[in-house]
Amino acid sequence: MAEVTNEAELLKEKANKFFKEKDYENAIKYYSEALELNPSNAIYYSNRSLAYLRTECYGYALADATKALEVDKNYIKGYYRRATSNMALGKFKAALKDYETVVRVRPNDKDARMKYQECNKIVKQKAFERAIASDDKKKSVVDSLDIESMTIEDDYVGPKLEDGKVTLQFMKDMMDWFKDQKKLHRKCAYQTDKLTICGDTHGQYYDLLNIFELNGLPSEANPYLFNGDFVDRGSFSVEVILTLFGFKLLYPDHFHLLRGNHETDNMNQMYGFEGEVKAKYTAQMFQLFSEVFQWLPLAQCINNKVLVMHGGLFSEDGVTLEDLRKIDRNRQPPDSGPMCDLLWSDPQPQNGRSISKRGVSCQFGPDVTQHFLEQNKLDYIVRSHEVKAEGYEVTHSGKCITVFSAPNYCDQMGNKGAFIHLRGSDLKPEFHQFTAVPHPNVKPMAYANTLMQLGMM
């Protein structure tokens, strides 16, 4: 017995080493092996929970934190981990309950009290928002804007619209202006033979500029599709989204934007975009972004052969392209159903479906992909939503492609970025990889909710 315990400890130490090197997949592997030898060790579950948090597998992180507390209900770090997992999933009341437990056990723990107070503030804010919500049709922020009365100050020397229109020169000037960490005037901000598909950019503005450097600026001859998660985490999300919206206005038929799970209010509140917009502009500006995000398409079908969406396929069989066209997308996504799946689901190597590692939607296997493609007469799907070491991954016998375009994600993952070219009548994908470029010294998550900045530690 002692020998097994010692071997488990050695595996834990090996996992810890990989964790410190930010190799979270191997850390998870060796924590799991330690747990196979000693499944009654709360620390192992807690450590693996944190590794899952770092890889955004919030459902798995929550399960491990819960298991740690089943093993040892007095293990305080388990309450921390479970609270962080629930916060990441937007389950603020459940998180508050665990923070209350920690504060009760450790009344002099300043860090615990601060997290409890921050979480309590969010719960009260949500309750207040529900209390004042009206059943009447919500009035658009646009109705309260008077853009004509906004004056551009004499000392503003940045990019300006030409007769209220976005031009290519304006876009070039704006990208250079943002590159120097300068702010676009609010009046302009409010009015903003191959296809290239890009995945998540997550506020990494300088990597977005690098994509355009490598692949050329968008144009009628160089169309782009950006597959969601433009904002959050990276601290230049405002610059990313204004640049993308600008090109959408300039080339409406040749520049396409799909909604990701981070183009939603809950994610923006936790992971930085709301805080960044309020810091750089106003709360009203964030409300307008929120409205626009709700109108973004959820999927795009290319030449009746390739379906592109941010997350993936569905929790139930039988979903058709016509079903997708009928989705009422002008809302915050529900917790289940096709809209939720399009934004949140992930592929898995084994057949069938399983519970999502994220705690939202599901994981779907190669048989699910094959059946969906056959039913809808499609060749393959392209999705994003997951960090990949090489920037892309081809699974399900070539029928499911993942592309991720935020290299060295959050300045810590060390991954490459990638984009895809689709050419010709067969739309055979060509993959192009790139690495991260330097950016100004503003750390990722700089505008995120305080609890999210501290809770992952």
Side-chain angles (χ1 to χ4, degrees):
M1 184 66 181
E3 186 177 332
V4 170
T5 302
N6 289 338
E7 188 177 346
E9 277 295 301
L10 289 173
L11 287 167
K12 184 200 78 171
E13 293 304 320
K14 193 171 184 178
N16 288 347
K17 184 174 181 291
F18 279 115
F19 187 93
K20 287 176 183 176
E21 294 171 353
K22 298 177 182 177
D23 185 348
Y24 302 119
E25 286 190 15
N26 271 317
I28 289 166
K29 174 186 174 183
Y30 288 108
Y31 286 137
S32 299
E33 289 184 12
L35 281 164
E36 287 175 13
L37 294 175
N38 186 2
S40 59
N41 190 305
I43 295 173
Y44 300 171
Y45 286 110
S46 177
N47 287 5
R48 191 172 68 174
S49 176
L50 184 56
Y52 278 135
L53 283 168
R54 293 287 175 87
T55 55
E56 300 183 15
C57 298
Y58 303 128
Y60 288 176
L62 179 61
D64 269 358
T66 302
K67 187 65 179 177
L69 292 171
E70 289 174 5
V71 171
D72 182 359
K73 66 179 181 180
N74 296 316
Y75 184 58
I76 294 301
K77 196 170 282 188
Y79 292 100
Y80 271 115
R81 296 281 183 265
R82 192 164 69 179
T84 303
S85 303
N86 276 316
M87 286 291 293
L89 291 166
K91 298 177 180 179
F92 305 115
K93 284 187 177 179
L96 183 62
K97 186 176 179 181
D98 281 334
Y99 284 132
E100 284 175 343
T101 301
V102 177
V103 170
R104 189 167 61 250
V105 175
R106 294 182 177 174
N108 297 320
D109 187 330
K110 292 181 180 179
D111 179 67
R113 185 159 294 280
M114 184 276 293
K115 289 176 179 176
Y116 166 75
Q117 290 169 346
E118 284 289 328
C119 188
N120 195 31
K121 192 189 303 180
I122 293 172
V123 170
K124 287 181 177 178
Q125 180 186 339
K126 292 285 184 184
F128 177 73
E129 289 170 355
R130 287 194 300 272
I132 64 172
S134 170
D135 290 333
D136 298 334
K137 188 174 180 181
K138 186 180 177 183
K139 186 177 180 181
S140 171
V141 175
V142 175
D143 297 333
S144 63
L145 290 176
D146 185 3
I147 295 173
E148 293 303 316
S149 69
M150 294 181 187
T151 57
I152 297 180
E153 297 76 11
D154 292 339
D155 60 353
Y156 175 75
V157 295
K160 297 178 184 177
L161 298 169
E162 297 177 20
D163 297 322
K165 305 280 190 196
V166 173
T167 64
L168 180 58
Q169 188 58 50
F170 171 82
M171 290 303 302
K172 290 179 177 179
D173 292 344
M174 184 178 75
M175 288 189 291
D176 286 340
W177 190 250
F178 284 160
K179 195 173 182 179
D180 293 333
Q181 297 187 76
K182 296 176 181 176
K183 189 172 78 170
L184 187 67
H185 193 280
R186 69 189 182 111
K187 184 167 184 173
C188 301
Y190 274 116
Q191 290 174 269
T192 68
D193 194 28
K194 74 171 187 289
L195 172 68
T196 300
I197 301 178
C198 298
D200 304 38
T201 49
H202 273 303
Q204 297 186 196
Y205 180 65
Y206 296 85
D207 294 309
L208 174 65
L209 293 182
N210 190 37
I211 291 173
F212 293 147
E213 191 74 29
L214 296 169
N215 193 57
L217 287 174
S219 68
E220 292 180 0
N222 191 26
Y224 278 82
L225 189 162
F226 280 82
N227 195 22
D229 279 16
F230 321 119
V231 301
D232 281 338
R233 296 193 178 275
S235 295
F236 302 96
S237 292
V238 166
E239 290 78 5
V240 167
I241 196 61
L242 288 178
T243 299
L244 297 179
F245 280 178
F247 277 119
K248 181 62 181 174
L249 289 170
L250 183 60
Y251 302 116
D253 297 324
H254 299 87
F255 194 84
H256 308 283
L257 301 171
L258 300 184
R259 190 178 187 180
N261 64 300
H262 276 268
E263 278 70 58
T264 57
D265 286 355
N266 262 357
M267 294 291 105
N268 295 161
Q269 181 182 37
M270 298 304 300
Y271 292 98
F273 184 58
E274 180 178 345
E276 183 181 342
V277 176
K278 289 179 176 178
K280 294 178 179 178
Y281 289 100
T282 63
Q284 183 189 53
M285 177 77 86
F286 174 72
Q287 291 169 4
L288 185 57
F289 275 122
S290 175
E291 284 188 31
V292 175
F293 287 165
Q294 291 187 165
W295 283 110
L296 290 174
L298 300 171
Q300 187 146 345
C301 190
I302 302 170
N303 291 359
N304 296 315
K305 290 186 175 183
V306 180
L307 186 67
V308 184
M309 77 289 284
H310 180 73
L313 296 181
F314 308 98
S315 302
E316 297 180 355
D317 290 329
V319 177
T320 66
L321 296 184
E322 188 58 34
D323 293 329
L324 303 187
R325 294 186 184 100
K326 293 176 181 176
I327 293 175
D328 174 18
R329 70 177 188 264
N330 181 24
R331 55 179 170 153
Q332 294 303 309
D335 293 333
S336 60
M339 182 177 178
C340 174
D341 296 331
L342 284 167
L343 298 174
W344 277 98
S345 71
D346 295 293
Q348 64 181 20
Q350 69 272 26
N351 281 338
R353 295 180 175 88
S354 63
I355 296 171
S356 171
K357 61 190 178 184
R358 301 175 189 268
V360 184
S361 185
C362 70
Q363 294 176 188
F364 59 94
D367 58 329
V368 174
T369 301
Q370 184 66 33
H371 180 70
F372 174 81
L373 295 174
E374 288 174 355
Q375 181 180 9
N376 290 282
K377 298 180 172 61
L378 297 168
D379 291 348
Y380 61 91
I381 65 170
V382 176
R383 41 92 61 185
S384 299
H385 195 40
E386 286 185 285
V387 184
K388 297 298 176 185
E390 297 300 314
Y392 72 95
E393 185 177 63
V394 181
T395 57
H396 295 185
S397 302
K399 302 295 186 182
C400 178
I401 295 171
T402 298
V403 60
F404 193 84
S405 303
N408 194 26
Y409 180 47
C410 290
D411 285 355
Q412 67 173 2
M413 298 303 289
N415 60 291
K416 294 176 183 176
F419 52 85
I420 303 172
H421 286 161
L422 301 187
R423 297 179 187 269
S425 59
D426 63 353
L427 297 181
K428 184 179 178 180
E430 301 171 3
F431 302 101
H432 300 266
Q433 298 169 297
F434 59 98
T435 55
V437 297
H439 64 74
N441 189 25
V442 183
K443 293 180 178 180
M445 300 282 281
Y447 300 96
N449 180 277
T450 305
L451 277 171
M452 295 314 297
Q453 293 182 37
L454 296 176
M456 300 296 182
M457 305 303 290

